Amino acid sequence: QSFRMEGSSVDGEREAMAKAQLTQRRKELFGDCRLIEIIHLHDCLRGELNALEKGVFEVSQSLLDTGNQEILAKLEKEVTSRFQIIWSVFKAHSSAEDEFIWPTLRSKTKGKVTGSPSYRPDQAAEDVPQDLNVVEQEEYEEDHADEERMFSSMNRMLIELRHLLSQPGTASSTTAQPPQTATGTAIITDEASIAPTRVEGDFVHEVMQQLNKHVKHLSHHLQEHLEKEENHCMPLVVKHLTKDEIHDLVGKIMGKRSSDMIAQIMTMAVQNLGEAERAQMVDYMKEAMAGTFFDRWLAMSGWMDPAEKKEEPVETVDATNKKRTQETGNGTEEETKRIRLDQLIAHAIVGKPSQTASKAAQLPKNEGSRLTTQAELEKLIRAVATNPTLSSKQKNTTIQGLRQSIWKMNQGITKQAEAKVESKEAQECSITPTASTPSATTRPAMPGTCMPTHRGIPPTQFFVKNSDGKAEKVWDSSDSNNNGNVPVPSFSTTELAPTFHDGASGAVLGCPHYARSCKLRHPVSGRLYTCRLCCEQDRENPAKEKDEPLDRYAVKEVMCMKCNTLQPAQGKCLNSNCESHDKSFAKYFCRICHLYDNRPRPIFHCPYCNTCRMGKGLGIDFYHCMRCNACVSMEDKEHRCIPQKLESTCPICHDTLFQSTEALKGLKCGHVMHLSCFTKYRRSQSYTCPICKKCMEDMTDYFAMLDAAIRMQPMPFEYMNTYSNVYCQDCQKSGQCKYHFVGQKCPHCGSYNTRDLGRVQAQATPIAFA
């Protein structure tokens, strides 16, 4: 026994030493590189493969030792669940290699990569890369195809095993009929054809033997593939790509991982990685997704302590805005906007560091929440326009941002002033809350009305979460022995009344925005709203009590509209007497957004936007662009990145874009606006983007019509040698073309979206400038 203990300790020391050497080699090879996230994923997969082998062995041992049907079914279910997770993660991992890593390496080596379509064996020697470590893509693609076949084969074996174990008496071998697959076809083997009267237990043992061999072969093949990636493929990525390119590459790979996929990877990390390695993996993931709301998703999903959640990305010009906002402490929203606006102006107006003091002294001050006047705005715009250090594109972008910031700040100041007036009027009305409204559970509405709603009707039943996180009933209207120490909220008749998605017909519960059979309880005021948009409509209605905006992420309770039971926010009704008991409130339910929707349309939750989007999911029909922080359709082959473009406002109506439920229109230049705003804007005969002034759509046909009009209408003799110096707003180049009153055509790209900078005489041919 002592000899065995010594042998096991030696093996443990050798394993720890090998692991330390591997860690040191990876650190030297990859250093501070975001590929470490992929290496940690490899470690997770290795641990899961070892656990899968162990699980299959335990099923075999249990079948031989006890043959307990219940234990066998439990073990088989665990093995199948682990196998499905490994299969889905490996499939996504292989797809990322084929779709992103190899094309990137081909582009960096100018397509001269072994196995790539652009490589030909008959190329001249001088055209072939001298690097002996050329990438062999075909070998990896063959591995991926072999892995998919092995996964499919093992999946069929597990389905066959489950079917055999589900038949009564299998473990005790009491049945003499040949086994059948889930489809009903008989399993024919060589032994079965010789002895057709074999008992079913023998077939189970045979399937388990095949499964044991297959899982070992699969694990060995996948482990070798992972080693090949780390020793061959990943070093080439580090060699040929810069850190910024690797950052973009990892971002593209992560952009196709759904929230379910990331949750599976995080579960694997918890089970197979140490605390330090897991923290490093999460840190590199967050770095690759900087500028998104991935931190918030991690915290809300339980993968990160909310106290560790970093500041959310904000709409800002300079990264120091966040630091200044944190240093100001509890500042108002207007003060924060003033900080952002001041930094925007400083960035645009101040040309050199030496000019900071003199220029900053000329800036208008907005003390005491004073509105910025039109004269002050024009002064700022002139200062930006005359800054010689800024390009034309930077000037246009800065001026547009300046207009939006001042407009939003003035709107906020106006609303504050109106709220103060309404608060004074409400105090003069001397409103007092009704005695039936429990002050412990309900907060009075925001000022703005003198007619409070009577709220004295309790729910039918009231469920709360206990210390174990399970829902328990604490109050029942039909029970006289209720606990009087539990405060029960009260509601108005209007709040408890059901609302309908289909209007007057009353066949589908919900609201005009969503179909659902529950209402959300406001986390601040305690009122009931069918959805957050209904709350927003009530806020804009002067005849109703004003409430604060409903934060969907902070919702803790919902009320079933069929039985009026108040309960923790979840997918099903807890009231056993309700007709909807154990039935879903809606077909789609998101535990993070608390979105319920019963309409037949695909919805998915994006972990990077941290909100629900219309579509089948990331990696299916959408991917997330980390630079834009937006979900982009995979059919959009001409996507142009603009950092944080959805976190701004619509350039037409100035409403938010990120949380908008209206359809959005992506322009050719990359900017976004509401589809309805785009339609109205086009009716005004405008074809240029209101932000960057580039053409919003393909104008080839329109420009061809202008060409025909110019040919049919020659200029008078005195203008025959008149030329215009033009600046093209599409290609952003300057040049010279013949003057014509119909339009000035860019000599570089042929666009008529140009600005006339002046006219000159007697030039023989058009001149193009860079």
Side-chain angles (χ1 to χ4, degrees):
Q1 184 177 2
S2 61
F3 177 76
R4 289 180 181 176
M5 293 178 61
E6 290 176 2
S8 61
S9 62
V10 170
D11 292 341
E13 290 177 0
R14 289 177 179 174
E15 184 178 351
M17 186 178 300
K19 187 174 182 181
Q21 292 176 352
L22 178 62
T23 303
Q24 181 64 26
R25 184 175 66 84
R26 288 175 175 175
K27 188 175 181 181
E28 293 174 355
L29 180 61
F30 299 107
D32 187 21
C33 176
R34 289 174 178 82
L35 288 177
I36 292 293
E37 187 269 333
I38 299 179
I39 301 300
H40 285 317
L41 177 60
H42 288 181
D43 291 339
C44 293
L45 289 170
R46 290 188 181 97
E48 289 296 301
L49 289 171
N50 293 332
L52 181 64
E53 284 190 66
K54 183 179 178 182
V56 173
F57 178 76
E58 289 177 353
V59 175
S60 302
Q61 287 297 112
S62 178
L63 186 64
L64 293 173
D65 296 342
T66 64
N68 187 296
Q69 200 87 8
E70 187 175 339
I71 296 176
L72 282 171
K74 182 181 177 181
L75 292 175
E76 182 273 331
K77 188 176 180 180
E78 292 177 356
V79 168
T80 302
S81 176
R82 188 182 299 275
F83 167 76
Q84 293 293 340
I85 291 176
I86 295 175
W87 190 5
S88 62
V89 173
F90 248 104
K91 187 181 293 186
H93 185 63
S94 301
S95 176
E97 283 186 12
D98 298 336
E99 188 174 355
F100 297 112
I101 294 179
W102 297 119
T104 304
L105 286 173
R106 284 203 305 268
S107 66
K108 293 296 292 185
T109 56
K110 298 180 180 179
K112 300 172 184 177
V113 179
T114 303
S116 68
S118 57
Y119 174 77
R120 301 188 310 275
D122 57 348
Q123 282 178 309
E126 60 271 13
D127 296 333
V128 179
Q130 298 300 317
D131 186 6
L132 298 178
N133 294 323
V134 290
V135 182
E136 298 176 355
Q137 181 183 358
E138 285 183 344
E139 182 180 350
Y140 283 83
E141 291 178 346
E142 291 174 0
D143 286 347
H144 295 161
D146 292 339
E147 291 160 7
E148 187 64 24
R149 284 192 291 270
M150 286 188 284
F151 275 120
S152 299
S153 178
M154 185 170 176
N155 185 50
R156 288 193 296 270
M157 290 182 182
L158 289 173
I159 293 174
E160 185 177 313
L161 177 64
R162 171 170 291 188
H163 176 69
L164 293 172
L165 293 178
S166 64
Q167 296 183 6
T170 298
S172 57
S173 304
T174 59
T175 308
Q177 298 294 328
Q180 294 181 338
T181 63
T183 58
T185 58
I187 301 174
I188 304 297
T189 60
D190 293 337
E191 296 180 6
S193 61
I194 297 172
T197 59
R198 291 175 58 194
V199 293
E200 203 164 88
D202 294 336
F203 286 97
V204 176
H205 290 299
E206 183 178 332
V207 171
M208 283 306 308
Q209 290 177 1
Q210 294 177 0
L211 191 60
N212 268 302
K213 292 180 181 179
H214 193 83
V215 72
K216 290 179 180 178
H217 178 60
L218 175 65
S219 177
H220 179 71
H221 180 87
L222 296 178
Q223 302 260 18
E224 283 188 344
H225 183 79
L226 295 177
E227 287 291 333
K228 189 192 302 183
E229 286 184 12
E230 294 180 6
N231 296 328
H232 180 214
C233 177
M234 297 304 169
L236 286 172
V237 173
V238 176
K239 179 178 180 179
H240 290 289
L241 271 64
T242 64
K243 283 190 174 182
D244 291 338
E245 290 172 336
I246 293 176
H247 172 83
D248 293 339
L249 180 64
V250 175
K252 290 178 180 178
I253 294 173
M254 296 295 296
K256 282 200 170 183
R257 291 182 182 174
S258 64
S259 56
D260 293 338
M261 177 65 65
I262 297 180
Q264 291 174 354
I265 293 174
M266 295 300 296
T267 303
M268 292 166 56
V270 170
Q271 295 173 348
N272 299 285
L273 297 181
E275 186 175 351
E277 293 176 329
R278 189 166 64 248
Q280 186 185 38
M281 177 180 177
V282 173
D283 288 341
Y284 277 104
M285 289 172 67
K286 291 191 291 187
E287 285 183 16
M289 289 165 277
T292 69
F293 297 100
F294 185 67
D295 281 6
R296 182 188 288 182
W297 180 85
L298 284 175
M300 291 183 176
S301 301
W303 300 111
M304 187 177 74
D305 186 357
E308 300 176 4
K309 184 166 66 73
K310 296 182 180 180
E311 191 74 18
E312 299 294 345
V314 293
E315 183 183 344
T316 177
V317 175
D318 194 347
T320 57
N321 288 356
K322 185 184 297 184
K323 182 178 179 181
R324 289 188 58 183
T325 304
Q326 293 173 347
E327 292 174 352
T328 55
N330 297 326
T332 63
E333 184 179 356
E334 283 68 29
E335 290 173 350
T336 306
K337 289 180 180 178
R338 168 50 58 184
I339 292 174
R340 297 177 187 172
L341 180 59
D342 288 345
Q343 295 229 345
L344 175 67
I345 297 169
H347 241 77
I349 299 178
V350 179
K352 298 179 180 179
S354 60
Q355 299 173 342
T356 303
S358 60
K359 294 275 186 179
Q362 302 175 9
L363 298 179
K365 304 299 180 181
N366 194 1
E367 301 174 356
S369 298
R370 180 177 61 83
L371 292 174
T372 302
T373 64
Q374 183 67 23
E376 291 174 339
L377 176 60
E378 292 175 358
K379 183 177 180 181
L380 295 175
I381 292 174
R382 283 195 298 271
V384 174
T386 56
N387 188 347
T389 62
L390 298 178
S391 64
S392 299
K393 181 178 179 180
Q394 291 173 330
K395 289 178 182 179
N396 291 336
T397 304
T398 305
I399 290 173
Q400 180 68 20
L402 191 62
R403 290 179 182 273
Q404 289 185 2
S405 300
I406 290 181
W407 182 85
K408 290 169 65 176
M409 185 186 65
N410 287 347
Q411 288 289 105
I413 295 173
T414 303
K415 289 181 179 179
Q416 261 196 343
E418 292 175 354
K420 289 180 180 179
V421 174
E422 292 172 349
S423 177
K424 185 177 180 181
E425 292 176 354
Q427 292 176 0
E428 292 175 356
C429 291
S430 302
I431 300 176
T432 57
T434 59
S436 60
T437 305
S439 59
T441 58
T442 305
R443 207 174 96 177
M446 294 173 63
T449 177
C450 296
M451 296 296 294
T453 304
H454 178 72
R455 307 175 74 222
I457 306 175
T460 304
Q461 292 184 3
F462 185 29
F463 288 80
V464 296
K465 282 188 177 180
N466 56 23
S467 57
D468 297 332
K470 296 182 179 180
E472 61 178 0
K473 183 167 61 176
V474 297
W475 192 86
D476 192 334
S477 60
S478 60
D479 189 359
S480 58
N481 298 322
N482 288 312
N483 186 2
N485 297 327
V486 178
V488 181
S490 299
F491 306 101
S492 66
T493 307
T494 305
E495 291 177 82
L496 294 175
T499 56
F500 298 93
H501 175 67
D502 53 352
S505 61
V508 181
L509 290 171
C511 64
H513 313 103
Y514 301 101
R516 56 179 63 169
S517 59
C518 66
K519 289 188 176 184
L520 310 179
R521 190 182 183 209
H522 199 293
V524 178
S525 67
R527 290 179 174 81
L528 295 175
Y529 297 96
T530 310
C531 74
R532 65 180 183 91
L533 301 176
C534 294
C535 175
E536 204 63 32
Q537 287 182 349
D538 285 357
R539 282 169 44 82
E540 297 174 358
N541 190 346
K544 293 193 175 183
E545 297 181 22
K546 289 190 176 180
D547 210 338
E548 295 185 16
L550 195 155
D551 183 5
R552 70 175 88 175
Y553 303 104
V555 170
K556 301 298 182 184
E557 295 171 322
V558 298
M559 189 204 71
C560 176
M561 283 198 277
K562 293 186 177 181
C563 64
N564 287 351
T565 296
L566 189 65
Q567 54 201 290
Q570 56 185 18
K572 300 178 180 179
C573 182
L574 297 174
N575 186 356
S576 57
N577 299 323
C578 178
E579 60 178 291
S580 296
H581 178 60
D582 282 340
K583 294 181 180 179
S584 300
F585 290 127
K587 294 178 181 178
Y588 177 83
F589 167 57
C590 178
R591 296 186 179 275
I592 297 178
C593 296
H594 298 110
L595 173 64
Y596 300 82
D597 195 5
N598 208 31
R599 288 176 289 180
R601 58 177 185 172
I603 306 176
F604 70 95
H605 184 90
C606 175
Y608 315 110
C609 297
N610 197 37
T611 190
C612 291
R613 301 291 189 193
M614 289 280 295
K616 296 179 181 179
L618 296 180
I620 303 175
D621 57 350
F622 278 89
Y623 70 92
H624 189 90
C625 178
M626 300 300 172
R627 186 170 297 176
C628 299
N629 193 23
C631 290
V632 183
S633 172
M634 295 178 68
E635 297 179 356
D636 185 4
K637 304 301 182 182
E638 299 180 355
H639 171 68
R640 298 191 62 180
C641 290
I642 297 179
Q644 316 296 326
K645 64 179 178 182
L646 286 188
E647 295 179 42
S648 59
T649 58
C650 175
I652 305 300
C653 66
H654 296 286
D655 278 345
T656 180
L657 293 172
F658 193 80
Q659 298 286 357
S660 175
T661 57
E662 294 186 34
L664 302 180
K665 171 67 176 179
L667 308 182
K668 184 181 176 181
C669 58
H671 292 103
V672 182
M673 65 174 67
H674 293 118
L675 180 59
S676 57
C677 295
F678 171 79
T679 304
K680 295 176 183 178
Y681 185 62
R682 287 291 285 116
R683 287 175 185 168
S684 63
Q685 305 300 319
S686 299
Y687 62 88
T688 60
C689 173
I691 298 177
C692 64
K693 301 303 179 183
K694 291 184 179 180
C695 291
M696 297 189 296
E697 294 181 307
D698 187 4
M699 305 297 295
T700 305
D701 294 340
Y702 178 70
F703 292 157
M705 292 172 58
L706 295 182
D707 286 338
I710 290 176
R711 287 194 301 267
M712 294 174 64
Q713 302 180 51
M715 294 294 290
F717 177 77
E718 54 268 26
Y719 288 98
M720 292 296 290
N721 292 326
T722 302
Y723 288 80
S724 292
N725 293 323
V726 296
Y727 172 77
C728 179
Q729 298 184 127
D730 283 341
C731 66
Q732 298 181 341
K733 295 180 180 179
S734 299
Q736 198 174 83
C737 66
K738 267 198 169 185
Y739 169 74
H740 200 283
F741 64 88
V742 172
Q744 321 304 323
K745 186 174 183 178
C746 173
H748 298 279
C749 65
S751 170
Y752 281 90
N753 183 21
T754 58
R755 287 190 295 175
D756 192 346
L757 303 179
R759 300 170 192 169
V760 294
Q761 295 289 333
Q763 288 287 350
T765 56
I767 300 176
F769 306 101

